Amino acid sequence: MAKYKLDVTTGDMDFAGTWDYVFLTLIGANGESERTELSNFGLNFQSGTTGTYTITTPLSLGRILLIKVEKDPNIILPENEWYFSKVVVTTPEGDVILFPCFRWMNSGEVVELRGGRAMKIFEDDHPILSEHRKNELMQRKNIYGYEIKEKGIPYFTNFRDITEIPGDIRLSKSKIDEMMDTKRWIGLELGLKGLFGSPKKWESFEDMTKIFWRKKTQISEYVTEHWREDAFYGSQYLNGVNPGVMVRCSELPPNFPVTDEMVKPFLEEGTTLKEEMEKGNIFLSDKKIMDRIPTRSYEGKPIPVTPGLCLFYLNPQRNLMPIAIQLYQEPSEKNPIFLPSDSETDWLLAKMFFKNADFNHHQAIYHLMSTHFLAEVYNIATMRCLPVIHPIFKLLIPHFRYIIYTNVKGRNSLFSPTGPLSISSLGYDGLMELMRRGLNELKYSNLIVPENITERGLDSIPNFYYRDDGLKLWDIINRFVRKMVEYYYPSDDVVTKDVELQDWIGEIFKYGFLSKKETGVPDSFNTVEEVIKFITMIIFYSSGQHAAVNNGQFDYLSWVPNGSLLLVKSPPHTKGQSTERDILESVPNVGDTVSFVGMAWMLSLVYKDFVPLGTFPEERFDEPTPKQFMKEFHRELILLTDTIDARNALLDVPYYYLNPNQIENSITI
């Protein structure tokens, strides 16, 4: 008789266990076991437990190829789902084989799992494995598909509602409950204060400080106190939620006629604008991509959005100072260049309106499109083109946790008729148009952090913590990816012969980047280096980059005068006529304000099932070498955390968005 030991693990999240009947069949090269119920005395399959079971066969089954797991309903107790993590099979010959699952199972469901080392398609050496591989991808392609929701932007998943999403990529019940509780508390507090849905205008800045009783952060408090200051305004273009837009300026655009006379009072004594450009001390943020973009209507009129230009100066005190703002692209008498020497309210309004454009730009291109929507395509392509035994599937799947669910849920809530993004200055149509323009201008190098920093001329600007931490994080991810990819792809020939990998990058190129050759994004892989670079980008954008553009939203957006997705009053067109009242009348009404602030709270919250970058609670690799690479990756991230913590201890405004212990492994919100 041959005895097989099975260690069956149930997930440790809330409600993961089941009282249904679970059956398992071993499928080997020499035959199959009987369908065997897994049952010990007492309770089985409880949350966070591993049960040990035995299957006996008359003779050895030979090499174990697959296991089949079935879940039948308990006729006495009500049906409940089971989060099935993994099975470890110990054979009579002493082999120990991991069969990962990590998905929810319903009653009546049958799952066939493949275990052992990661395998590429040309390495399959048994017809049962080849057939299983083919059937797995066929089934997945029937489930996961693409849909054109809006022309000119990345394709969306074919799931239109969260109820359609398969169990293996669904949000955990505990996270759903926690998010609903948070939403209820926000609604309750805002409702009790009479703020939710209120059409009233704000009477004072003091009133805005009382939106929430208990939700504040060190940075949000600092923003509330210092938002008017030019040095703090400039610092946000380096270390705020949109650090990807500013470039070093060596020559002024012809439509931005800033003169020496205008900015002389703000430059170092005895120098000129041209000389400061030559020294590399002048920087520019230009919103020409937003010129003539459609906006939504407010009280029967189109909302003004200012696609302007802002000039910054790195002064001798190493502060980045705004020194000139033109709110529209074409200079004219009604489009003056605002300066710090103008009236306090003129200058403040110019900064506010430029920041309003910047935050709409941030949400559309740098947050939603570059992280959420492209990551959705990466995930769909992975599910359709790579079987679970593929090494790249195993490497990437931790970084796609919850992204499809998050995007489907977000599109149905944030973009609902009364959702925060629909009531932004651009509204739904404007944000989609901005994404179209962004994708049309996108270059592959924009997504490669070291190349992006160099192309923007920001290699040496001081106090740029996004760059400092981002380059270190990129290098750590790149070293990890290099080890993993080179282990499975020792030569370029192995890359080119992996047809599943080629199908994968082909789908991403087609459905994510719309087959635009001019982007420079690869449509196939010819070398190991190309694979390493692309996968490094995916992991960075699905973890660190999303943290950089998302996690600070409450810090910087909860004080609406510092940056709002909506301003409702026309910007100043002439100088010397504004008052403090114009600032209050420009910000959204009370109801819209708290909608934006509530969104920022929800998006910036750390939830209980947070999985930090570099931790892998789902054991998918069965080989010792990749497991060692993962440990080394984790150790490097810990060292980076220590470095960032030491730096932040010396800062009035810490930058922790790229601190590995603050970065989630995937986009989960």
Side-chain angles (χ1 to χ4, degrees), residues 420-439:
L421 296 181
S422 294
I423 63 171
S424 65
S425 293
L426 294 183
Y428 178 84
D429 291 337
L431 289 171
M432 291 299 122
E433 172 61 21
L434 186 49
M435 283 188 216
R436 275 189 283 273
R437 296 182 184 186
L439 188 60

Side-chain angles (χ1 to χ4, degrees), residues 553-573:
Q553 291 193 82
F554 187 85
D555 288 340
Y556 287 97
L557 298 180
S558 60
W559 180 246
V560 169
N562 181 64
S564 175
L565 285 168
L566 172 64
L567 293 178
V568 298
K569 190 179 175 73
S570 293
H573 293 286

